[in-house]
């Protein structure tokens, strides 16, 4: 029987690359998405065409009842959960902090912190040996923004990723003796549609002169780190982070 991985925000960008790579490594993949059903369906179709197993599951990870529904559908479809990738995340228009309102900050924190926390909770309930589970692995997709703070662009987003890193560290220790490993990956500037949400689709090319490797990254390069941390090859790694940021 195939291992099962849930990739939140798996329809586009880093999540899609992760879903496709995980499928090639033998996982059955649940591709969660928020709005873009077409993109998620395409990822599923590519996996199935390649002989793999996948399904698309719509849910807003920031909403507790929808997370419960997402995991209930996952249970019904696959009957097991071995790995979770908390990849779904959002940023909003670039601005300085003094122009931000609370509603915006709450949207970012809900998607980037509350969402992963709720998904971790559901995963632990299923994976932990304490609850009769078989163990598993969780990877939280953070950002180098957690380290730089993203001044002048989106310190709210950066703060959300800092919180995600703290969650990663704490949960890793909390469940270390229950068969679950929890790690983080911090991408740098990756070519995805996310930068358009910040109002600057060409952001990666603007900043690449400041990246030690002088180029942006591809989603597939981030997926390699995520899928490695999920794998048994990373069996002694927990509470750790891999920066995939060209040296930034
Ligand atoms: P992206 O191309 O904008 O894709 C984001 C994905 O997340 C989409 O599939 C979207 O679903 C999904 N999503 C957003 N909010 C959601 C919610 N509330 N519930 C469920 N799904 C939701 O982004 P990306 O660049 O691949 O980013 C993926 C992760 O990497 C994020 O956590 C991001 O913060 C992090 N990251 C990215 C970069 C970068 O340079 N791109 C750098 C550092 C960190 P729909 O397809 O349905 O809209």
């Amino acid at each position: 029987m195939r291992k099962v991985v849930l990739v939140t925000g798996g329809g586009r960008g880093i999540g899609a690359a992760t879903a496709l790579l995980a499928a090639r490594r033998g996982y059955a993949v649940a591709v969660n998405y928020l709005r873009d059903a077409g993109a998620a369906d395409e990822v599923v179709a590519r996996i199935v065409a390649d002989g793999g197993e996948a399904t698309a599951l719509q849910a807003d990870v920031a909403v507790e009842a929808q997370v419960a529904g997402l995991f209930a559908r996952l249970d019904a479809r696959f009957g097991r959960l071995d790995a979770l990738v908390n990849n779904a995340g959002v940023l909003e228009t670039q601005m300085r902090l003094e122009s931000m309102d609370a509603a915006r900050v709450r949207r970012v924190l809900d998607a980037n912190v509350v969402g992963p926390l709720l998904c971790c909770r559901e995963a632990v309930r299923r994976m932990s040996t304490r609850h009769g589970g078989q163990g598993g692995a969780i990877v939280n997709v953070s950002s180098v923004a957690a380290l730089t703070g993203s001044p002048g662009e989106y310190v709210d987003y950066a703060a959300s990723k800092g919180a995600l890193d703290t969650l990663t560290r704490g949960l890793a220790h909390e469940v270390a003796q229950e068969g679950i490993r929890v790690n983080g990956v911090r991408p740098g500037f990756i070519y995805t549609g996310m930068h358009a949400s910040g109002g600057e689709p060409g952001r990666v090319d603007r900043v690449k002169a400041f990246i030690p490797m002088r180029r942006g990254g591809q989603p597939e390069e981030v997926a390699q780190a995520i899928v490695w941390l999920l794998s048994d090859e990373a069996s002694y790694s927990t509470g750790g982070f891999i920066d995939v940021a060209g040296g930034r």
Side-chain angles (χ1 to χ4, degrees):
M1 187 184 246
R2 297 179 206 257
K3 285 189 171 183
V4 175
V5 61
L6 167 62
V7 182
T8 68
R12 295 188 291 122
I14 293 167
T18 302
L20 292 165
L21 181 61
R24 286 205 297 279
R25 297 285 160 80
Y27 289 89
V29 187
V31 180
N32 158 253
Y33 67 97
L34 179 60
R35 292 190 193 89
D36 196 337
D41 286 344
E42 196 181 316
V43 170
V44 169
R46 285 177 63 184
I47 291 171
V48 171
D50 216 25
E53 195 178 350
T55 192
L57 298 173
Q58 194 282 330
D60 184 342
V61 298
V63 179
E64 189 167 20
Q66 294 195 31
V67 172
L70 168 66
F71 279 79
R73 281 177 286 153
L74 185 76
D75 292 342
R77 174 71 166 76
F78 296 110
R80 63 184 283 173
L81 180 65
D82 302 280
L84 165 67
V85 181
N86 274 311
N87 165 79
V90 296
L91 50 71
E92 299 213 3
T93 312
Q94 295 171 357
M95 63 178 67
R96 288 169 54 96
L97 178 142
E98 64 257 42
S99 302
M100 293 178 188
D101 61 21
R104 166 199 163 115
V105 176
R106 288 202 177 95
R107 282 194 299 275
V108 171
L109 293 176
D110 278 350
N112 297 1
V113 183
V114 177
L117 193 145
L118 292 172
C119 290
C120 282
R121 182 189 72 191
E122 295 304 314
V124 168
R125 286 176 178 171
R126 287 159 177 80
M127 293 173 178
S128 171
T129 52
R130 197 169 181 239
H131 299 292
Q134 302 293 312
I138 297 172
V139 172
N140 292 326
V141 182
S142 174
S143 170
V144 288
L147 308 175
T148 67
S150 301
E153 291 190 320
Y154 16 68
V155 295
D156 55 344
Y157 170 82
S160 76
K161 294 302 188 178
L164 184 60
D165 285 0
T166 306
L167 162 65
T168 300
R169 191 89 183 142
L171 182 62
H173 291 203
E174 194 166 295
V175 298
Q177 294 177 61
E178 298 166 29
I180 306 175
R181 295 181 300 102
V182 188
N183 291 287
V185 168
R186 296 192 197 101
F189 298 92
I190 311 300
Y191 289 101
T192 72
M194 172 167 263
H195 307 286
S197 320
E200 190 186 2
R203 177 168 173 261
V204 178
D205 285 329
R206 173 175 62 84
V207 302
K208 68 183 178 191
F210 305 104
I211 300 168
M213 288 180 74
R214 298 288 188 272
R215 69 170 178 87
Q218 296 298 330
E220 291 75 17
E221 295 179 287
V222 183
Q224 290 287 349
I226 295 170
V227 174
W228 180 77
L229 281 169
L230 293 180
S231 77
D232 290 342
E233 292 174 5
S235 54
Y236 197 51
S237 295
T238 198
F241 300 88
I242 299 178
D243 292 354
V244 186
R248 177 130 165 131

